[in-house]
Amino acid sequence: MSDAEPLAVQVRLPLDRFELAVDFATTHRVTGIFGTSGSGKTTLLETVAGLRRGARGSVRFGGETWLDTDARMRVPPERRGIGYVPQDSLLFPHLDVAGNLKAGRGRAVAGGHDFDAAVQNVVRVLDLAPLLARSVRTLSGGERQRVALGRALCSGPRLLLLDEPMASLDAALRRRVLPFLGRVQAEFALPILLVSHDPVEVQALCDDLIVLRDGRVAARGEPRAVLRRPDVFPMAEHEGYQNLLPAVVVETRAETSRVRLGDGTRGPALTVPRSALPVGGRLMVGIPADEVMLALEPPAGISARNAVPARVESVAAAGAFHLVTARIAPGAPPLVAEVTADALVDLGIGEGTDLYLLLKTSAITLYEDAAADPQPASAASEDGAAPAASAG
Amino acid sequence: MSHAAWQALWSSVAWAGLAMLLVMAPATLAAYVLARREFVGKRAVATLISLPLVLPPTAVGYLLLRLFAVDGLLGRDALGVDLDVILTWKAVVIACAVMATPLVVRTARVSFEGVDPRYEDIARTLGHGRAATFVRFTLPLAARGLAAALILGFTRALGEFGATIILAGNIPGRTQTLATAIFSAQQAGRDREADVLLLVALAAGFAAVFATETLSHRQADAATARR
C-alpha cells in the first residue's frame, strides 16, 4: 500500500559505538525499521518524535519540516502530531485506563476530531471496553500495550510511531497482541513507522522494510524479500525468523485444523494446530525456516503431517547454512528452508528442482484474530493471567 | 498554661503555614530544575540551598538580621522603604521559611527524580507543552513526595528556634513561638507549662514523621507495581 503522507528522514547522530546515519523517504502505509538491539532503531524513532536531541539533518512529514538543523529549526514533540507507543507502554500510573485514553484529548479536540467518537472507535477496535475502569497497575503486559496503543490513537495523531510494541511480551502474548496491531493497521488510515526486531511482526504488518545495522541502512524493500536476503537472513534467524504465510481455515478437527494457503481457493492445504476460527476465517501461519525438511520423493510412513509440493526458486549461502527459497502456491509468498551444504549436494537441489517440504504440525504457529471477522465474537481474555479482562 | 503559651502555639502554626505558602512554589520549581536539568553551577546552587541545614541556626538568623537591618541589602537604605521585619511576626515567617527551604527542596528533588522522565516525553507526544506536562503529569506523579516535603517543611518551621530568636526575638503575645515559649517556660521555672508544650511538640513531630513514612511507603509500593 502506498500514498500515505510522505515521511523523509535524513539524520546523523553520534552514538556510543557508531554513528547513526540514515537517509530514507517513504510513502508506504506501514514502514518497518528492523534491526538487532543496539542498531540505533529506537534512537531513530525518538529523533522522528522529537524526543532525542543532538541529531543533525532533517525530518519532514507531509508538508511540514520538523527538524532542519541547517535552518536551526526544531519543532517540539507536542507540535508534531504524532502518536508514540514505547515498548514498555509507560501508562500514566496516576490515571485509570479511561484517563490514559483521554490524556491526549486536548490535541484531538484542537485538531477538529470528534473525541468521543474517536475513543469509542478505539475502544471497539482494541477491545478495551472491559478495561476502562481498571487501574493501570492491575493490567497484564498485553493489556498495557493495547491501552498504550489506544492512548496514542485517541490523541488524533497524523503519524503513529511504534517502538517494539511487542518486545516486552512473551511469545504466547505476542501471538495475541499481533492481531490488534493488524486491526490498527487495517482500520486507521494512519501512516505507521514501526521499529522491531521481530521478523514475524514486520512481515505481518509492514509494506516496506528498512534494515538497520550499526546505525546504517543495510537493506530495504518488500519485507519478506528483504528478510530472505542472504546478508539479512542470519540476523532474522537469530531473532526468531518464521515464514509467515496467509491462509484460510477449511476444516476444524478435534486437535488440529486444516488450512489452505493463499486466498483459500488454489493453494495447498496444511494440517496445523487447532484454530479458534470458524471455517472461512483468515489467519497467518508461521513456519520456522529450520523446521522445514526437504524430500525429493513424496515420503511414506512419516509422522510429519504435511508434505507440500514446491519448486525451488533460488538457493543462496547465508552464514553457516544455505537458504532454499521455494514457491508452494501461485498466490502465496515463497517459503524459506534452512539446509546444510551437504544436503544440497546430496539431493542435487538447485533452481527449478521440484521437491516436497515436510512440515510437522507442532512446528507451525498460528497468528489469528479470534475476535475479528468473519464473525465478530465477544473477545476472549487476551491472556490467562488476567481473567477479569473478559468479565466486563 | 498561660494565655501567652496558647497564643504562642497557635501563632506558631499560622506562621509555619505562612512560611510554607511562601516556600512551596519556588522550592518545588527549584527541586524540579535540580532533578531534571544539567547546568553550569548546579552543584553550587544545590549547596547554597542546603546551607541552612548545616549552619548553626543562629548564624542564619544573624545573616538575616544583617540583611534586613536598616543598612542591609534588604533594609530601608537600600530599598527606600522600611519592610519592618525585625522583631515582628514577619521575621518569624521569614526565619521559618529560610530554615525549612533545604528540607523541602531536597525532599521534592528526590520525589521528582523518582518520576521517570519518559512519562513526560509521552505527555509531550500527546500534545502537551512543557508547562502543561509539568502541571498535569509531573506534579501528580510526584504528589506523594511533594506532600512529604510539605509536611517535613511545616514541622521544621514549627520547631524553628535559633534563627527566629535572633531575627524576631521572643516577645510573648507578639513573636513568641512554640519553640521559644518552651525556652522561656524552662528558663523561668514554669515546669508544668514547659511539660505541656513539650507534649504538644512531641505529638506534632510524631504525626508529621509518621505521615511522611506512610507516604514514602505508598510511593515505593506504587513504583514497584508500575513495571
Side-chain angles (χ1 to χ4, degrees), chain B residues 64-79:
Chain B
L64 290 171
L65 192 65
R66 293 294 301 267
L67 274 178
F68 287 104
V70 172
D71 57 350
L73 280 175
L74 296 171
R76 193 185 63 202
D77 293 354
L79 297 182

Side-chain angles (χ1 to χ4, degrees), chain A residues 245-265 267-285 364-370 372-375:
Chain A
L245 305 171
V248 177
V249 177
V250 292
E251 185 188 348
T252 295
R253 302 169 178 167
E255 291 171 353
T256 58
S257 291
R258 293 282 288 172
V259 300
R260 197 171 287 285
L261 296 177
D263 59 8
T265 52
L270 293 182
T271 300
V272 299
R274 194 173 190 283
S275 166
L277 296 177
V279 170
R282 293 178 176 278
L283 48 76
M284 293 279 197
V285 293
I364 298 175
T365 311
L366 303 187
Y367 298 91
E368 55 192 350
D369 188 350
D373 296 334
Q375 290 164 323

Side-chain angles (χ1 to χ4, degrees), chain A residues 45-112:
Chain A
L45 201 68
E46 287 176 348
T47 302
V48 174
L51 298 174
R52 173 72 77 124
R53 291 176 170 273
R56 298 201 51 77
S58 65
V59 176
R60 296 175 216 280
F61 177 71
E64 294 176 9
T65 299
W66 286 349
L67 177 75
D68 185 346
T69 44
D70 287 341
R72 294 175 172 272
M73 178 177 185
R74 186 176 178 279
V75 174
E78 64 268 26
R79 294 219 307 272
R80 296 192 182 194
I82 48 169
Y84 186 83
V85 180
Q87 60 172 289
D88 49 354
S89 63
L90 287 171
L91 300 179
F92 299 120
H94 66 299
L95 302 172
D96 62 8
V97 170
N100 270 277
L101 293 181
K102 287 173 183 155
R105 183 173 192 278
R107 181 182 61 201
V109 171

Side-chain angles (χ1 to χ4, degrees), chain B:
Chain B
M1 197 162 114
S2 73
H3 171 71
W6 277 115
Q7 197 182 14
L9 174 60
W10 292 118
S11 303
S12 292
V13 170
W15 292 328
L18 276 175
M20 294 321 291
L21 276 179
L22 211 61
V23 163
M24 272 318 275
T28 301
L29 278 178
Y32 183 72
V33 171
L34 288 174
R36 283 286 189 268
R37 297 292 164 82
E38 291 304 323
F39 53 90
V40 180
K42 176 171 161 173
R43 262 183 228 167
V45 171
T47 306
L48 211 59
I49 291 174
S50 291
L51 222 45
L53 212 56
V54 292
L55 287 181
T58 46
V60 176
Y62 180 63
L63 177 70
L64 290 171
L65 192 65
R66 293 294 301 267
L67 274 178
F68 287 104
V70 172
D71 57 350
L73 280 175
L74 296 171
R76 193 185 63 202
D77 293 354
L79 297 182
V81 284
D82 192 350
L83 295 178
D84 188 25
V85 167
I86 296 166
L87 296 180
T88 70
W89 64 271
K90 288 178 260 180
V92 183
V93 172
I94 287 169
C96 290
V98 169
M99 294 304 293
T101 296
L103 261 182
V104 176
V105 173
R106 292 172 76 96
T107 311
R109 178 178 175 178
V110 169
S111 74
F112 283 130
E113 283 168 349
V115 176
D116 190 337
R118 295 176 66 225
Y119 285 119
E120 294 167 350
D121 285 350
I122 295 294
R124 301 283 300 277
T125 69
L126 290 167
H128 301 282
R130 276 179 200 288
T133 296
F134 179 72
V135 172
R136 296 187 54 178
F137 297 94
T138 314
L139 282 184
L141 288 170
R144 289 207 170 90
L146 295 178
L150 173 67
I151 294 170
L152 281 176
F154 179 79
T155 42
R156 179 69 187 82
L158 207 57
E160 217 304 302
F161 179 82
T164 307
I165 208 158
I166 291 208
L167 193 63
N170 181 12
I171 310 166
R174 285 188 56 201
T175 64
Q176 193 168 64
T177 67
L178 179 62
T180 51
I182 291 177
F183 176 72
S184 292
Q186 185 270 330
Q187 290 286 303
R190 299 195 299 271
D191 286 356
R192 163 78 45 96
E193 191 177 311
D195 289 348
V196 173
L197 289 168
L198 169 67
L199 283 177
V200 171
L202 270 174
F206 185 87
V209 178
F210 191 82
T212 54
E213 283 289 318
T214 310
L215 285 168
S216 65
H217 270 283
R218 285 219 195 115
Q219 188 151 33
D221 291 348
T224 49
R226 194 188 304 152
R227 302 272 153 173

